[in-house]
Amino acid sequence: MKLKSILCTAAVGLLFVTSVGHAMDVGILAPSDKQMRAEVYYEEYERDIQQGYSFGSGSFAFPQEENRLVARVTFNPQPFWGVSLEVGGTDSDGSEDIAPMFGLGAHMVLFEQGGFYTSAFGRMTWTTGIEYKEHYVVTNGASYLDETWQRDEAYLEYGFGVQLGYEWQPCSSARITGYAGAMASFLDDTKSEERLSGSYFIEGMDAAVSFNEKDSSVDMEEDHVAQVFAGVEVALLPLDGGIRVEGRFYDRTSLSASLFFNF
């Protein structure tokens, strides 16, 4: 009866946290007797995006690469569950500036015995203010095209999954935790649009023609929903701080490395 109660609680919890899930660095989700965990991680993130053509119909797939620096704080009111908050920035390949990103998540430990544990989790991140811009000038005699293309992006990433791990303490001054798992990752375009502006002149015309067009119907989504991940963490005791590395694999590979401290 107790196991059934735990599983029901986990199911209800997952229904909630899948609306606040994320598809980036998962992190370690082991039972903890410390109420807080502070972590800073750097991530080289790659994924395939399915996107609709701007100013037209149809869609195409393309790779997206980002470099991310994020600070995460995890609160563990009880040893077997916790919530996390994140804030950071991402630099997308080809974008103009670093865009802010914010995250929220939750996890629950479903099973623990002899150093082994199983956890369920869900998290999300919201990224806004990503901007791409290109300027083109094409000339042919007196004729020319002077055009600026700009794309502004804002999107929500969310996901949920399970993690299996094992904690091993080889000596009194160190703890090593290995973990792996699977997750489903989704991307929701919340406010992206593309603009074309500029002017053109064709020899024989009386004057140049200016134009300024906008397409707010551009949509994009994750091309690979199913993902697997694995990582290892080394903590120095009794400080209870150290380093962690993680990789995610789903056609393309993303890697992250972090410094953490439990207190």
Side-chain angles (χ1 to χ4, degrees):
M1 188 66 181
K2 183 178 180 181
L3 177 60
K4 184 177 179 181
S5 176
I6 292 175
L7 292 177
C8 289
T9 302
V12 173
L14 280 180
L15 286 175
F16 167 74
V17 301
T18 53
S19 66
V20 290
H22 83 118
M24 41 189 291
D25 179 272
V26 176
I28 194 165
L29 306 174
S32 176
D33 57 357
K34 299 295 181 68
Q35 289 194 327
M36 295 192 66
R37 175 185 177 98
E39 190 168 14
V40 176
Y41 66 84
Y42 173 78
E43 180 175 42
E44 293 185 354
Y45 191 51
E46 297 182 359
R47 61 183 169 192
D48 287 326
I49 297 296
Q50 192 75 26
Q51 178 182 306
Y53 283 106
S54 57
F55 306 101
S57 60
S59 63
F60 65 100
F62 71 99
Q64 184 183 41
E65 299 180 5
E66 299 181 19
N67 294 321
R68 298 168 163 181
L69 183 63
V70 181
R72 174 190 293 159
V73 177
T74 301
F75 304 93
N76 299 301
Q78 299 293 331
F80 295 99
W81 69 275
V83 295
S84 62
L85 300 173
E86 297 182 344
V87 61
T90 178
D91 182 14
S92 298
D93 186 32
S95 64
E96 293 289 293
D97 299 301
I98 295 176
M101 60 190 305
F102 309 93
L104 175 66
H107 75 274
M108 179 181 296
V109 179
L110 304 178
F111 173 81
E112 181 198 23
Q113 185 174 10
F116 290 95
Y117 70 88
T118 302
S119 297
F121 66 90
R123 296 182 181 173
M124 80 168 182
T125 58
W126 180 60
T127 305
T128 184
I130 298 179
E131 181 180 292
Y132 303 91
K133 185 181 292 185
E134 296 287 347
H135 183 223
Y136 308 94
V137 178
V138 181
T139 60
N140 183 13
S143 303
Y144 71 86
L145 170 65
D146 189 330
E147 179 181 85
T148 297
W149 168 84
Q150 183 172 329
R151 176 181 175 88
D152 298 320
E153 287 183 354
Y155 55 82
L156 186 71
E157 298 172 273
Y158 59 98
F160 59 94
V162 293
Q163 179 178 117
L164 309 176
Y166 178 70
E167 291 187 345
W168 175 50
Q169 189 169 336
C171 59
S172 60
S173 59
R175 182 183 68 245
I176 300 174
T177 305
Y179 62 94
M183 65 185 297
S185 168
F186 304 92
L187 186 67
D188 185 12
D189 191 330
T190 58
K191 188 181 178 182
S192 294
E193 63 181 23
E194 293 190 7
R195 293 191 293 272
L196 288 175
S197 61
S199 63
Y200 66 89
F201 177 79
I202 300 176
E203 192 170 1
M205 296 175 60
D206 293 333
V209 176
S210 298
F211 59 90
N212 191 343
E213 302 177 53
K214 181 172 69 173
D215 185 356
S216 300
S217 64
V218 178
D219 192 21
M220 60 181 184
E221 60 185 24
E222 188 81 56
D223 198 40
H224 297 279
V225 173
Q227 305 176 19
V228 294
F229 60 90
V232 63
E233 175 179 288
V234 178
L236 299 179
L237 304 175
L239 177 65
D240 209 355
I243 60 174
R244 179 180 61 83
V245 294
E246 180 180 304
R248 279 154 310 291
F249 314 97
Y250 51 108
D251 186 45
R252 296 185 179 274
T253 300
S254 296
L255 300 173
S256 59
S258 78
L259 297 175
F260 70 92
F261 179 61
N262 297 317
F263 56 97

